[in-house]
Amino acid sequence: MSEIEILKRRVERELRARKEAERILEDKAQELYLANNSLRVLNENLELRISERTVDLTAEQMRLSALITNLDSGILLEDERRHIVIVNQLFCTLFHIPAPPQFLIGTDCSNSAELSKSLFAEPDAFVQRINEILHKRELVLNESLSLANGQIYQRTFIPLFDGQRYLGHLWKYNDVSEAVHAGEELRRSEDKYRGIIENMELGLMEVDNQGRIVRPYPRFCQMVGYEPEELEGQDAVEILLPPEFISVLDRQTEDRMEGKAGVYEIQLRKKDGSLIWAMISGAPIVDLAGDIVGSIGIHYDVTRQKLLQQELEEARKRAEAAQEAEKQFLANMSHEIRTPLNAIIGMAHLLADTNPTEEQTEYLGILKSSAEMLRILISDVLDLSKIRAGKMETQAKDFDLPDLIRSMVKSLQLRIEDKPIKVLLDIDPKIKNLVTGDDLLLHQIMANLLGNAEKFTANGEIKVQVAQETEPETHPLWIRISVSDTGIGIPPEKHDLIFQSFRQVDGDTKRKFGGTGLGLAITKQLVDLQGGTIELISELGAGAQFIVRLPYIDSGVIPISDKLMEAKQSLHTHGKRILVVEDNYMNRKYIGTLLRKWNVEHEFAFNGREAVEKTQEWVYDLILMDIQMPEMDGYEATIAIRNQEGPNQSIPILALTASAMMSQKDKAFSAGMDDYLSKPFKPSQLFEKMAFYMGAGDVSNEPHVPEIFTFDARLDQQMLYALYGDDLDYAHEMFDMFLNTAAVEFREIRPKVETENWLELARLAHKLKPSFGMVGLCSLEKMMDRIETDAKTDPNPDALKLDLLQAEQYFEEGCLVVQSELHRIGRILKK
Amino acid sequence: MKGMVFTSFLDLVEEKFGYEMVDRILLSCDLPSKGVYTSVGTYEHSEMVQLVTALSKETQVPVSDLLKTYGNYFFPILSNGYPQFITEAPSALDLLERIEHHIHVEVIKLYPDAELPRFDTRRIDAQTLELVYHSKRKMADFAEGLILSTFEHYKEQAQIEREDITEDGSVVRFVIRKA
């Protein structure tokens, strides 16, 4: 039974196992089916992707093939067995192959070199090289080949590998004949021009972008004294450029990098260390691709020109300094000379009123006329310098032109009464109205022309004609004034000359007739200043005629009787009081004497401040006011007086100016002054002004004559006079001090020169300079100035020794004079 | 564990002790599979442990001897089923060396869910191979049976030294010296 049961269990187990196995197998089959399915899908996807890739590849190949066919080069692509894969039309053209390229695909090329070798200049070498290239299977780039017909091909060979496997190769040919020939043409042309430039003493040099010398040309090498191989590859700045020019060159280099050319001047250091100046024209060098690869400089040696230029520049500076000094000198003349001259003329006039003896009168006459001559000379020189400096200005006012000419001719007539000369005047009756213009300038012009005629005419006639050239009330109104004489005349070739400064007809004329030779030059300039013309008609021995044409404006006003004359006749000075404001002792003495002589009550103020104080206390009728004074000048004093309440607020103030400059006069008017009188003035001029402002007085009083000490003529009298006036105590003190100090210090100069201690020499000369001036040794003062300048700027031992020798000579002489003057002053002071 | 191991085991029990013994141990055990095994199926390893333990109890033969015997018995089944592995290896040592990196790789391809022991091998010299068995199933005895039958198959003699590296028998070192 149990066995049966066991068997039953076994069968049951096996049955169940079979079913279990079937179930598992069924599951597996299902699993397999699904796996199979997904595999199939995967396979399909793969196929699709492959076909897509194939399409892409075909398109790519076609594009490549089209590209090669249309390339601007002859292309031949061969496979590893040298069968043609691709060839283009240009290749066939280059190798004279008549067949269309597409027919050649697949053709074996093993023998092609042999077939086309006849095209080349060296056929066998061509074949040999092809075989060599094919054997080596290495890249060959742009190899040049000459053809038998002169053309030039360029060849490139590209071997094609897939890893280690050789796939074939590509030949690329280009016809570069034109480019090569053009290049050669360009090079020939460049060489030609470089050659020309080199022959023109222009040195060429090429540098790269780093400033290294790439190509130094022979002429440039000569210029800087190097051999070409010494320069090549060197840093141009390092080897040739002095450091101070680095910044100049840097700026140029920047310009080059931007493609700009430029011209500049720098110094270059030669091999021997010396420097030359070079004018350089630099330009960038641009390669075929348009990139800047360096620059080229054309150098021209301008060392000589530079030196010349420097010398010229120095000469110009010296000339300018001299001109400036001259101007300064003339300006000083105005102030320094007129003041003492004023006194001389004034004193001469006063002296004439002191009942001199006949002999004294004669001497005084000479003194007066000489002083007058000197005043005219100085005025001429000053006028000229003013005109040259552009400081002479014209002033327009209405005046009676015929009357002015008439009075001048009248006075000429009076002057030459005793000469056998007839004076004729002819005035155009059409001139009725006052004209507007500068009467002072016309006065000066006429004075010069009449003076000239008077001077050169011994007998015969002087004729003045005045005509109106244009109709009245036209603008401008041209007036023609002619002054003719029967004098010695002027040869035509000298006509231009006489209008130039310091020129007279000849030296003989100067000796015979005197004068500065400035009169006509000034006249011409005064005429020019007013926009007029001057003309000379003359022949030697046949007299002279000057014709002046001046433009005026017709004022439309008819002249009335002269106010000044009326005033002179109707007014007098009784009970009038004048304040004279003047710091200069000499001027005070001069004016004071005149006023006493004219019986005019007066008081002095020594500067502007004192004048203002006095006007606060007293009542005056007129103030004569100097301009340049210590503490407070004339302008300031006038302004103060005009601004203070009181009886003197609107008193007439007359300026006494040392300068004739318009600017000073204008300033005087704007400060509130009523009129001016420029120094030196004659007693009559002062009298006229006084009469105008307060009425004329009786001229009866005895004038007082001041004593004047005259310094030795070997000293600068003018300077000493200006310095000391008649303050002899002061002069004595200064002369004494000079002999005790400066004379001792002068002895120290020689050792400085001998030891060539220029710095000390300059210092000493500078110190001594004013001491010599103080005793009137002006030549020594100037000498010290020169020694100082030379020692500072250009110490030349030989020249300075010569100067010193001369200075010592002057010094010995000068000291003796100073010594004797010191004694003389001492004697006078003791009296 | 592959069903074939169970079916082969039960075949061996039937062959040695009769189907009555098979029935007895199947009944004495509490098996999730109810003792129904098919060579294409896969079963819990614990069932094999229960079966071997039950057999040992019934027959009074130690488990280790049973497993060794089973290993011996199992070799021909493998060699008949997959003769290409045998022919590829010229000697027993060669075959043993190929288990881990060759045979097991192919087994995994056939049965992706198979849980295989690991055999690390090292040639000490031409005749000597060190083989280290790793498996949480702790069936080194079964492996030893297989090794012995391998040599029998190649008609070679070998001396096998066995050393348990861990106490639980999950890592066991064999040093196999070919005679």
Side-chain angles (χ1 to χ4, degrees), chain A residues 316-331:
Chain A
R316 190 181 63 81
K317 276 187 191 153
R318 274 201 299 274
E320 271 176 5
Q323 213 169 18
E324 187 53 40
E326 186 191 319
K327 266 194 223 159
Q328 200 60 46
F329 171 72
L330 288 170

Side-chain angles (χ1 to χ4, degrees), chain A residues 159-427:
Chain A
L160 305 169
F161 285 96
D162 177 15
Q164 289 296 310
R165 200 158 69 89
Y166 189 65
L167 298 178
H169 46 257
L170 185 140
W171 299 99
K172 172 172 162 280
Y173 284 88
N174 282 87
D175 183 352
V176 293
S177 315
E178 249 176 63
V180 168
H181 291 147
E184 274 172 12
E185 192 59 37
L186 189 66
R187 204 161 26 252
R188 259 201 298 280
S189 144
E190 276 180 12
D191 283 347
K192 179 174 124 192
Y193 286 108
R194 281 197 187 103
I196 291 171
I197 289 170
E198 284 273 301
N199 284 330
M200 285 166 76
E201 297 206 2
L202 296 172
L204 267 64
M205 177 177 75
E206 292 177 18
V207 297
D208 65 14
N209 285 338
Q210 280 69 49
R212 262 189 299 282
I213 300 174
V214 179
R215 211 171 150 191
Y217 290 74
R219 181 73 67 180
F220 179 77
C221 295
Q222 269 172 28
M223 213 175 261
V224 292
Y226 282 98
E227 293 301 319
E229 52 274 19
E230 289 177 306
L231 290 177
E232 223 162 290
Q234 295 289 327
D235 187 317
V237 169
E238 223 165 75
I239 195 166
L240 295 169
L241 199 68
E244 60 267 35
F245 292 101
I246 286 177
S247 61
V248 179
L249 199 76
D250 282 350
R251 267 198 304 283
Q252 290 292 329
T253 308
E254 274 170 36
D255 283 354
R256 278 329 148 264
M257 290 302 177
E258 289 167 16
K260 288 188 221 155
V263 178
Y264 54 104
E265 279 183 17
I266 54 172
Q267 281 190 301
L268 294 176
R269 199 189 309 107
K270 290 178 69 168
K271 192 182 179 185
D272 64 13
S274 62
L275 295 174
I276 59 168
W277 273 101
M279 185 195 271
I280 303 174
S281 175
I285 302 174
V286 180
D287 68 5
L288 288 173
D291 293 324
I292 293 167
V293 295
S295 64
I296 183 161
I298 302 178
H299 300 68
Y300 181 51
D301 187 340
V302 292
T303 310
R304 280 185 49 207
Q305 288 87 326
K306 267 279 172 189
L307 285 177
L308 205 66
Q309 198 182 322
Q310 274 170 4
E311 280 169 20
L312 279 173
E313 179 61 19
E314 276 165 29
R316 190 181 63 81
K317 276 187 191 153
R318 274 201 299 274
E320 271 176 5
Q323 213 169 18
E324 187 53 40
E326 186 191 319
K327 266 194 223 159
Q328 200 60 46
F329 171 72
L330 288 170
N332 288 341
M333 288 252 290
S334 165
H335 194 69
E336 303 293 335
I337 298 178
R338 284 192 185 211
T339 304
L341 194 58
N342 188 25
I344 293 171
I345 294 170
M347 291 305 157
H349 279 98
L350 293 177
L351 206 55
D353 291 337
T354 57
N355 289 330
T357 63
E358 203 170 315
E359 195 184 5
Q360 282 171 329
T361 305
E362 192 192 337
Y363 294 165
L364 273 172
I366 296 167
L367 179 62
K368 276 199 277 185
S369 68
S370 298
E372 189 63 26
M373 177 72 83
L374 187 60
R375 193 187 63 78
I376 291 166
L377 283 178
I378 289 166
S379 289
D380 279 358
V381 171
L382 288 178
D383 281 348
L384 194 70
S385 71
K386 266 188 286 180
I387 293 167
R388 278 190 184 164
K391 284 183 179 159
M392 189 67 111
E393 291 160 40
T394 60
Q395 274 195 328
K397 70 177 198 187
D398 297 346
F399 71 99
D400 188 344
L401 188 139
D403 187 56
L404 186 147
I405 305 265
R406 239 192 311 271
S407 69
M408 290 191 77
V409 171
K410 181 85 179 157
S411 100
L412 171 71
Q413 223 162 8
L414 289 172
R415 263 204 313 272
I416 58 173
E417 260 172 345
D418 46 346
K419 282 196 193 174
I421 302 169
K422 210 171 5 165
V423 179
L424 303 171
L425 175 63
D426 174 16
I427 294 180

Side-chain angles (χ1 to χ4, degrees), chain A residues 2-3 5-7 9-22 24-25 28 31, chain B residues 14 19-20 22-24 26-27 33-43 110-113:
Chain A
S2 65
E3 273 184 32
E5 280 184 7
I6 293 168
L7 200 64
R9 279 199 292 276
R10 178 175 185 162
V11 171
E12 196 181 330
R13 281 184 195 116
E14 282 177 359
L15 195 68
R16 280 166 58 189
R18 189 170 59 95
K19 284 190 175 155
E20 173 79 6
E22 281 167 355
I24 289 170
L25 285 173
K28 285 276 176 199
E31 220 173 275
Chain B
E14 188 181 355
Y19 193 78
E20 205 184 323
V22 174
D23 186 50
R24 199 177 296 154
L26 285 176
L27 289 174
S33 66
K34 311 288 185 208
V36 177
Y37 300 108
T38 159
S39 61
V40 295
T42 303
Y43 308 94
L110 268 175
Y111 306 105
D113 54 348

Side-chain angles (χ1 to χ4, degrees), chain B residues 1-172:
Chain B
M1 188 170 265
K2 294 312 293 177
M4 193 171 72
V5 181
F6 287 86
T7 53
S8 301
F9 178 73
L10 292 182
D11 284 350
L12 174 68
V13 174
E14 188 181 355
E15 196 184 307
K16 298 282 182 187
F17 304 105
Y19 193 78
E20 205 184 323
M21 180 62 78
V22 174
D23 186 50
R24 199 177 296 154
I25 60 172
L26 285 176
L27 289 174
S28 70
C29 298
D30 180 18
L31 302 165
S33 66
K34 311 288 185 208
V36 177
Y37 300 108
T38 159
S39 61
V40 295
T42 303
Y43 308 94
E44 286 296 315
H45 165 257
S46 60
E47 290 192 18
M48 177 55 76
V49 175
Q50 278 193 53
L51 289 171
V52 175
T53 310
L55 182 62
S56 172
K57 198 183 273 171
E58 291 291 331
T59 59
Q60 297 299 312
V61 180
V63 172
S64 60
D65 287 353
L66 286 174
L67 283 174
K68 262 184 241 176
T69 309
Y70 177 43
N72 224 334
Y73 178 79
F74 198 63
F75 182 83
I77 295 164
L78 288 176
S79 61
N80 290 334
Y82 308 99
Q84 71 273 23
F85 295 132
I86 309 296
T87 49
E88 278 171 14
S91 72
L93 287 184
D94 284 326
L95 183 68
L96 293 176
E97 273 182 327
R98 298 167 82 99
I99 295 171
E100 183 65 26
H101 297 293
H102 193 70
I103 297 172
H104 278 181
V105 171
E106 295 301 317
V107 173
I108 287 293
K109 283 183 194 167
L110 268 175
Y111 306 105
D113 54 348
E115 292 172 330
L116 303 169
R118 198 171 94 221
F119 292 98
D120 292 340
T121 56
R122 185 167 67 94
R123 278 277 180 159
I124 294 169
D125 58 49
Q127 307 300 318
T128 314
L129 182 76
E130 180 196 68
L131 187 149
V132 180
Y133 166 88
H134 300 260
S135 174
K136 50 186 179 195
R137 319 240 185 284
K138 303 155 193 137
M139 285 175 67
D141 295 313
F142 182 63
E144 191 178 337
L146 274 171
I147 294 167
L148 285 169
S149 51
T150 305
F151 280 93
E152 278 169 29
H153 174 86
Y154 282 95
K155 297 184 174 55
E156 292 171 4
Q157 299 295 314
Q159 201 186 338
I160 297 173
E161 282 173 31
R162 177 178 163 166
E163 180 195 355
D164 286 6
I165 304 294
T166 54
E167 272 180 26
D168 66 354
S170 61
V171 182
V172 177

Side-chain angles (χ1 to χ4, degrees), chain A residues 87-104 115-116 119:
Chain A
V87 63
N88 66 1
Q89 182 57 53
L90 191 53
F91 184 89
C92 296
T93 310
L94 289 174
F95 282 87
H96 302 203
I97 300 165
Q102 63 270 27
F103 289 180
L104 296 173
L115 292 174
S116 51
L119 287 172

